[in-house]
Amino acid sequence: MKNTTRFYLIGFLRGLYFYLPLFTVFLTGHDVGMEIVVFSQFFYSFVQFIAEVPTGVLADKLGQRASMIVGYFIEALGLVTVVLFPTAIGACLCYAIGGLAAAFLSGSEEALLFESAKKEKADYGAAYGKFLSNATIGMIVATGLGGFAYAAWGAEIAPALLWATAIALMICAFLSFGFPELRSAADVQKQKGSGMWKSVTQGYEAIKKEDFLRNMTIVMLLIVPGEYFLYNIYQPLFEGVHVEPIWFGLSISLGLAFNAFVMRYMSWFERRFTLPTLIFAVSVIIGMGYFLVSLTSSPWVAVTSVIMMLGFVEVHRPIISDYLNERIASHQRTTVLSLLSFTNRVASAALRIVLALTVAGYSVAASGVVHGVYLMGGAIISYWLLAKCGCAHRIKHPPKIHTPSSVAVG
């Protein structure tokens, strides 16, 4: 099996989040308050925040394949934890373990797929887009089935759906054993004998030397879409406007179906719009969606808003990744990607606290409005930053990549 084909299969399996349409209902049914449900996501962001760089360095030293295997197994363990302990502590542990898993996977999947596409002479942007869209297709199938299960059996079916998702993730881990280590011996040698601090320092040096990378570290603080925050709050918001249970799953499935369609054809948008424009448009659309779903009294507006938000969430990610990978040297690709993702976790962790306090002090709807304001403001600032630095261009030729001669590697 070709490496890219293996990635496409893993993409589908890792998207099988059967439990998603009723996870909040499952937790609140076990007397976990909504403010705890939202705040528990802080542990996901915080653990990923503190583990992002160490796991990225480990992946560069030990290999992206090992990092992926560990990540998938750990994520499955987090889901099993909340099944066994459906309490406030169990929810926090579930998200904390999930954050650690995400840290192992962050950068590693992208880096190994990039190297695989290069070896197979395939287009990385198209390959990464297909990998993400396959994960989206998996979610379409899984959330649709989860929604039907919720409508038929209620929240009591949640443990079975959590187990099914955990099994799919463990299969991803076993499939990852089939990947070879694609880094050259020279690239591996560059990491030997270097401490984590030196690797981190070299990564920051690479970012400082590139206007685009430097500005993207700021942009990453401003465009957190809050996809999993949306998954937590839409269920009580739907209940508040009396949306039929079947739409708890179908709204996600339809939104993600649209997302998969847009994701597969992002190259069409890339040829016609610059990256700052795409980042601005996506953030504004999702921000408006938060306003609508939080303030409406119409069940159909609520459902349509969730479909619209999910339809556009992360659709610009393949283009961002393409721009980033073109500017990062192979031997430190995972470290630099993790450093950039690290800044995103800072914003995500802080935002989770603000949103949880908003839920506790005001309401779930108020927290949605706060997130909408954050995204609208972030869209404006991000566009200004990227346009000001001269980054409002399209990739026509591979840009100069920092080599060992321009970045000290020890």
Side-chain angles (χ1 to χ4, degrees):
M1 182 187 297
K2 294 170 64 175
N3 290 337
T4 50
T5 303
R6 188 180 297 271
F7 261 107
Y8 301 151
L9 178 58
I10 288 174
F12 176 79
L13 290 171
R14 72 167 301 198
L16 295 179
Y17 290 99
F18 296 101
Y19 68 91
L20 208 55
L22 62 159
F23 190 53
T24 298
V25 175
F26 167 68
L27 291 174
T28 54
H30 286 84
D31 299 322
V32 180
M34 264 307 300
E35 68 278 5
I36 298 297
V37 173
V38 175
F39 180 69
S40 62
Q41 289 189 358
F42 164 79
F43 292 97
Y44 181 98
S45 300
F46 179 72
V47 171
Q48 188 174 11
F49 164 70
I50 61 176
E52 189 78 61
V53 174
T55 55
V57 174
L58 280 173
D60 275 335
K61 288 180 177 294
L62 304 178
Q64 290 105 18
R65 177 185 62 182
S67 185
M68 288 172 59
I69 292 169
V70 172
Y72 293 133
F73 269 123
I74 291 177
E75 187 174 358
L77 177 63
L79 297 180
V80 173
T81 299
V82 80
V83 173
L84 299 177
F85 306 101
T87 62
I89 294 176
C92 293
L93 281 174
C94 174
Y95 277 112
I97 295 171
L100 180 60
F104 273 102
L105 295 171
S106 176
S108 296
E109 290 174 325
E110 293 180 44
L112 185 55
L113 180 54
F114 185 83
E115 299 293 346
S116 297
K118 183 168 66 174
K119 182 178 180 180
E120 296 173 11
K121 294 181 173 54
D123 180 79
Y124 167 72
Y128 189 44
K130 187 172 181 180
F131 170 68
L132 294 177
S133 65
N134 279 9
T136 302
I137 292 170
M139 289 187 69
I140 292 169
V141 173
T143 54
L145 292 174
F148 279 109
Y150 176 44
W153 295 290
E156 291 76 16
I157 197 66
L161 299 180
L162 284 159
W163 273 108
T165 302
I167 291 170
L169 289 167
M170 286 188 279
I171 294 173
C172 289
F174 284 115
L175 285 171
S176 297
F177 277 101
F179 286 119
E181 180 53 64
L182 295 178
R183 296 175 304 162
S184 68
D187 285 337
V188 175
Q189 184 63 35
K190 287 168 186 173
Q191 288 294 337
K192 289 183 178 179
S194 297
M196 185 183 75
W197 178 249
K198 176 177 279 191
S199 297
V200 171
T201 301
Q202 292 166 1
Y204 273 120
E205 284 299 316
I207 291 172
K208 285 170 61 178
K209 290 183 179 181
E210 278 277 2
D211 282 346
F212 177 73
L213 296 180
R214 189 169 60 251
N215 280 278
M216 278 304 298
T217 60
I218 301 173
V219 171
M220 297 292 277
L221 296 170
L222 304 172
I223 60 171
V224 180
E227 180 182 358
Y228 285 94
F229 168 68
L230 173 63
Y231 290 143
N232 278 161
I233 69 166
Y234 89 94
Q235 294 165 37
L237 291 174
F238 274 16
E239 289 180 328
V241 294
H242 308 295
V243 173
E244 292 294 326
I246 192 66
W247 286 102
F248 281 55
L250 282 181
S251 61
I252 299 179
S253 295
L254 292 174
L256 294 177
F258 182 51
N259 186 279
F261 174 80
V262 175
M263 191 77 77
R264 282 186 182 271
Y265 294 97
M266 277 308 291
S267 59
W268 185 91
F269 291 95
E270 186 175 13
R271 290 194 299 269
R272 289 161 175 80
F273 302 98
T274 63
L275 181 62
T277 301
L278 290 170
I279 289 176
F280 176 83
V282 170
S283 295
V284 167
I285 289 171
I286 298 173
M288 290 177 59
Y290 273 114
F291 285 128
L292 290 172
V293 75
S294 301
L295 300 176
T296 187
S297 58
S298 166
W300 288 112
V301 172
V303 169
T304 303
S305 299
V306 169
I307 293 172
M308 177 183 69
M309 281 189 282
L310 291 178
F312 285 95
V313 72
E314 299 283 16
V315 294
H316 47 14
R317 185 174 169 186
I319 298 175
I320 292 176
S321 180
D322 202 8
Y323 273 71
L324 292 175
N325 276 291
E326 289 285 356
R327 289 163 169 79
I328 305 171
S330 178
H331 68 275
Q332 59 182 181
R333 179 164 289 118
T334 309
T335 300
V336 174
L337 288 173
S338 291
L339 285 169
L340 291 168
S341 185
F342 180 79
T343 64
N344 185 264
R345 304 311 159 201
V346 174
S348 184
L351 191 59
R352 293 297 188 275
I353 296 176
V354 172
L355 295 173
L357 290 174
T358 304
V359 172
Y362 297 94
S363 65
V364 174
S367 68
V369 172
V370 169
H371 205 310
V373 171
Y374 163 82
L375 281 174
M376 300 285 273
I380 295 170
I381 298 172
S382 296
Y383 185 91
W384 177 77
L385 280 173
L386 293 177
K388 183 182 177 182
C389 81
C391 302
H393 63 276
R394 303 176 185 87
I395 293 180
K396 294 182 180 179
H397 304 287
K400 181 179 179 181
I401 298 175
H402 292 304
T403 62
S405 62
S406 59
V407 180
V409 295

